[in-house]
Every structure is written in structure tokens, then in C-alpha cells.
Amino acid sequence: MAPAKGLSDDQRFALMKFRRSMSDVMQPHHDDQFLLRWLRARNWDAAAAEKMLRESLRWREKYQVDQVRDWQPPEVLDKYYPSGLSGFDKDGAPVVVVPFAGIDIFGLLHACSKREFIQMTLKQMETYQHLSQQQARERGNVAEGLVAIIDMADFNLRQWAWRPAGEVVVSLLQTYEANYPESLKNCYIINAPRVFAIAWSVVKNFLNDYTQSKIHILRDPAKWQPLLLENIEPGQLPRHFGGTAEDPLGDPLCSAKIKQGGKVPKEYFKKQNMSRLQDQPSEETVVVKMGGKLKLEYIAAQTGTLLKWEFRTEGHDIKFSVTMKDIDGNCTTLVPLKRVNSHQTEEIGVITCPSPGTYTLLFDNTYSYLRSKRLHYSIGMAPPLTSNGDPDGILDEIIDDVNDNRVEKAG
């Protein structure tokens, strides 16, 4: 097999070393272009690339990812999971459209399991990856990779601030970064409202520099339409996005091939999911290393959202603070950084979030060079109180939760 062109001597040596080390598990489609994706993801460190690829192959085997394209999803996902193939860009790479506002994540997670939702996403990813590889064989390497158009029109931050939704997003981002390196050719996030900046400030922490460099966040159609048409022929792009494509009924969204999603009818909801997905925080335990920090980020979608925390440490104190970053990127300290005697008594607090934004709880152990701290914490968010005070008893529930936890731990 001839080595890929355009590589330095060091890079060619790393590729040769990587190819040799992976020879026991190499498959016909594991060509140089495939191996180079993993090498680039690990900065040309052949040993690190081998570790990453072998872990991914074990993951594929454990979850039978190679068979996921044949998996038949539940009816609710088949109907209400929004996405579809629009066509191909000028190089022949697949163009996928995702009408993001059509994802009723609350409804879907009450109608199917988190695993099924993730499996549906993997089914889509594997299908498009397979198509991309076919295009690359026919059109050359310029056709490799996916082009994604993510339409954020009518984006609702509130449902994505829901804890189970956030857990699914984090799981998918981690899965993508670990198993699909350099598979994105371009991603256009269009019609992004200002409030999307809050979600992006959290999401980008899970994406490497390469992935971030391929993502273009554009709000104004006067900017994103010319950019799309520069790379995609009009006939391969729905008329809704500035192209000329329509479905047989004249729909400018091309809904016949690009599913639009929508609100999931309650008749799809499963009883076991109703109780399983209650947004009740559970206690987590971590070790904050000596000289280290732990940052926990939460999204408040509405002004007045209640953020509550409880934590304790074993043996020694720790520093703690709460800060927020709003839509415009302005940072405000809500709880100043100070040492807390959480090893003597549990630290408990509640604040009302002054505006939508990203709220960061910081546990700071940088002042301790000799001791790591074992930290037990429980953090949750609750909807805003109404103008009538607390008719739904939200604040009473928070106080009751705190008191119940105190009694349990004292007992």
C-alpha cells in the first residue's frame, strides 16, 4: 500500500509504525486515509493513536456498532427524529440537514430509552459515514467527510437545560470525539439565536480543536446562504436554505427526505420513563487533586431559575465559588471564592439565577499542595418561582429535600 501523499518524513514514519502496530486487527477499509484520521487526532503520536483506535474497536464490538445500520428503531424515533440527506457538496461529500428545533428531547426521552436515542444517532452517523466512504472511493479523498447543516431557528434552550437531555448530549459528544475523529468536513450552524451562545459555551468544551475549526456559527442568512451555495450546488440544497430543491409536493423544506421532527404525542410516552427521568440530582463523589480544581457547569434557560447545591468533604476544607456567564459573555461572581469548612458541616445553598446563562460551580484545591480532597456533592436546578410567590411549592420542596438529606446523613 503506497503511503498517503503530502506527509513529512516524520509523519510517514508515524504512519508506517501505526500501520504495523495495528496489523493484527486491520480490515479492508482500514486504508491509509482511515489511519491518518486517528494519527492526526493524537498529534502524530503512533502509540496514542493505537490506544485510541483499539479502544474504539472494542467499543464497536461491545455495542455491535457495525450492525447498527440494520437496527430497526422504535416507531417514535423513526417518525420524530429530525434529519435527512439533502444531497452532496461540489466535491461529492454527503450533505446532512438537521432541523434542530424539531428535536422534542423531552418527548423522545419519555417515549424511548436514552440508549435507544443514542443508538438512533449512531445509526444515522454510521449510515452517513458509510456513504461518505463510498463517495471517497468514487470521487477521491475530497469527498470524504460529512457536511452538516444544523438549523437552529426557534431553538429552545429550556429543554436542553433539562438534566437528562444534558446527559444525552454529553454522552453523544464524548462518543463522537472518541470514535469518529476528523470525520466532519464542515458544519454550518445557521439561524443561531443569541441564546445559543450559552449552550455553545458548554458544548465546545467537549470538542477538540480540529472539530471546532470545522464549525461555522452563522445567524444572518445574508452570510450563511452565500457560504452554503459556494460549496453546494443549488439543486442539492432545499429551497428553504437558498437552493432550488423541493420534494414532490413542492415543499421547500424537502420534508419527504429530511424529517422535520416535531412534538411527540403523549400516547408514545412510557410509564416507566415518567418516573425514571425525574430531574432529581443524585450525589456524586470525586477527588479534587492536590493543587487542582473542579469546575461544574450548568445552564439556566430562564431568569429566576433556582440553582441549589449541597456538598461535603472528607477530612479537610475546600474553596468554593459560583460564577455566571451571560449571553453576551459577561462574567459575574455570585458567590465569592472562599474556604469552606465542609469537612465539619455540610455546605448547603440556593440562589436565584439573575439571567439565562452558564453557571459555574468551582471547587478549588490549588492552595493545597499536599492533600487531595474527596468531595461529595449534589447539584440541581428548579424552574423559576411564579409572580405569585411559590404556589407550586418549589421552594418548599427544595427546603424539604435539604432537611431530608440532613436527617438521612445524620442517621
Side-chain angles (χ1 to χ4, degrees):
M1 181 186 298
K5 297 179 181 179
L7 302 180
S8 68
D9 290 342
D10 287 345
Q11 291 169 346
R12 287 174 183 271
F13 178 76
L15 176 59
M16 180 180 66
K17 181 179 178 182
F18 186 32
R19 190 191 307 124
R20 187 186 302 122
S21 67
M22 296 299 301
S23 61
D24 60 313
V25 292
M26 291 283 279
Q27 299 177 24
H29 65 280
H30 292 167
D31 57 11
D32 279 356
Q33 290 303 125
F34 172 84
L35 295 176
L36 285 170
R37 286 168 42 202
W38 303 85
L39 274 173
R40 292 191 183 104
R42 287 296 178 262
N43 296 315
W44 301 96
D45 183 331
E50 179 185 355
K51 180 182 178 183
M52 183 184 185
L53 178 52
R54 286 188 182 276
E55 287 176 352
S56 180
L57 292 174
R58 284 193 290 270
W59 168 79
R60 296 184 73 87
E61 182 178 1
K62 179 178 179 180
Y63 294 102
Q64 299 182 314
V65 179
D66 289 331
Q67 289 78 46
V68 76
R69 284 191 292 129
D70 300 322
W71 171 70
Q72 183 58 46
E75 180 181 289
V76 66
L77 284 171
D78 194 45
K79 283 187 175 182
Y80 293 97
Y81 187 100
S83 76
L85 181 70
S86 173
F88 301 90
D89 75 356
K90 292 180 179 179
D91 292 327
V95 177
V96 178
V97 174
V98 180
F100 199 86
I103 304 177
D104 176 10
I105 191 67
F106 182 88
L108 288 173
L109 290 184
H110 280 84
C112 66
S113 68
K114 291 181 185 179
R115 178 164 183 169
E116 286 172 329
F117 184 89
I118 291 172
Q119 197 163 354
M120 182 65 174
T121 306
L122 291 177
K123 178 182 174 73
Q124 299 280 319
M125 188 68 188
E126 287 290 315
T127 299
Y128 297 137
Q129 282 277 103
H130 183 71
L131 179 58
S132 173
Q133 291 163 5
Q134 286 182 328
Q135 289 294 104
R137 285 193 291 268
E138 296 173 7
R139 302 284 296 271
N141 294 332
V142 292
E144 190 171 31
L146 301 179
V147 177
I149 300 173
I150 303 178
D151 185 7
M152 302 299 297
D154 301 320
F155 170 68
N156 179 5
L157 178 63
R158 184 176 180 181
Q159 67 168 337
W160 295 98
W162 180 47
R163 186 170 178 241
E167 290 172 348
V168 167
V169 170
V170 170
S171 179
L172 286 172
L173 289 171
Q174 291 173 332
T175 298
Y176 173 82
E177 286 294 310
N179 300 287
Y180 299 95
E182 303 210 11
S183 60
L184 189 66
K185 184 177 181 182
N186 272 307
C187 177
Y188 304 97
I189 299 178
I190 62 174
N191 296 320
R194 290 178 67 243
V195 72
F196 175 70
I198 295 172
W200 177 245
S201 68
V202 176
V203 167
K204 68 181 182 181
N205 294 327
F206 296 92
L207 303 176
N208 63 33
D209 291 341
Y210 170 85
T211 303
Q212 290 190 44
S213 73
K214 298 296 181 179
I215 297 175
H216 314 276
I217 302 175
L218 304 159
R219 187 185 310 172
D220 186 357
K223 293 183 178 179
W224 59 255
Q225 280 190 356
L227 185 59
L228 293 182
L229 291 171
E230 180 182 331
N231 297 291
I232 304 168
E233 293 289 354
Q236 301 291 307
L237 190 65
R239 185 159 56 84
H240 179 75
F241 299 116
T244 60
E246 297 178 343
D247 67 13
L249 298 177
D251 181 1
L253 292 169
C254 296
S255 300
K257 61 179 180 179
I258 300 172
K259 294 180 181 178
Q260 300 298 307
K263 192 167 181 61
V264 176
K266 288 189 177 180
E267 51 262 34
Y268 282 105
F269 287 16
K270 297 179 179 178
K271 288 184 179 180
Q272 62 268 32
N273 286 18
M274 298 297 288
S275 58
R276 181 173 54 82
L277 291 172
Q278 294 300 312
D279 195 6
Q280 295 298 326
S282 57
E283 184 174 271
E284 305 284 347
T285 299
V286 297
V287 174
V288 184
K289 294 182 179 180
M290 61 185 84
K293 297 179 182 180
L294 172 66
K295 288 184 179 181
L296 302 173
E297 293 183 329
Y298 294 81
I299 293 176
Q302 297 174 279
T303 297
T305 297
L306 298 173
L307 172 64
K308 59 176 180 176
W309 62 85
E310 305 171 40
F311 67 88
R312 69 186 191 280
T313 48
E314 296 180 10
H316 302 277
D317 63 10
I318 199 165
K319 286 184 177 181
F320 174 73
S321 71
V322 180
T323 58
M324 70 155 289
K325 180 185 289 186
D326 64 18
I327 297 174
D328 298 316
N330 300 315
C331 296
T332 304
T333 298
L334 302 175
V335 177
L337 184 66
K338 64 177 183 180
R339 292 176 73 160
V340 176
N341 292 324
S342 50
H343 61 303
Q344 296 176 348
T345 181
E346 188 172 39
E347 182 71 12
I348 298 173
V350 180
I351 61 169
T352 301
C353 299
S355 68
T358 304
Y359 288 75
T360 301
L361 288 81
L362 173 67
F363 297 92
D364 187 337
N365 196 34
T366 56
Y367 63 94
S368 179
Y369 294 101
L370 299 177
R371 297 187 180 92
S372 297
K373 309 289 175 63
R374 184 173 292 276
L375 169 71
H376 307 274
Y377 68 87
S378 176
I379 300 168
M381 306 190 85
L385 304 179
T386 68
S387 57
N388 295 325
D390 187 24
D392 297 323
I394 294 172
L395 195 55
D396 288 340
E397 287 181 12
I398 291 175
I399 294 170
D400 288 344
D401 286 345
V402 169
N403 289 334
D404 289 345
N405 286 344
R406 278 175 168 162
V407 170
E408 284 181 17
K409 288 161 187 170

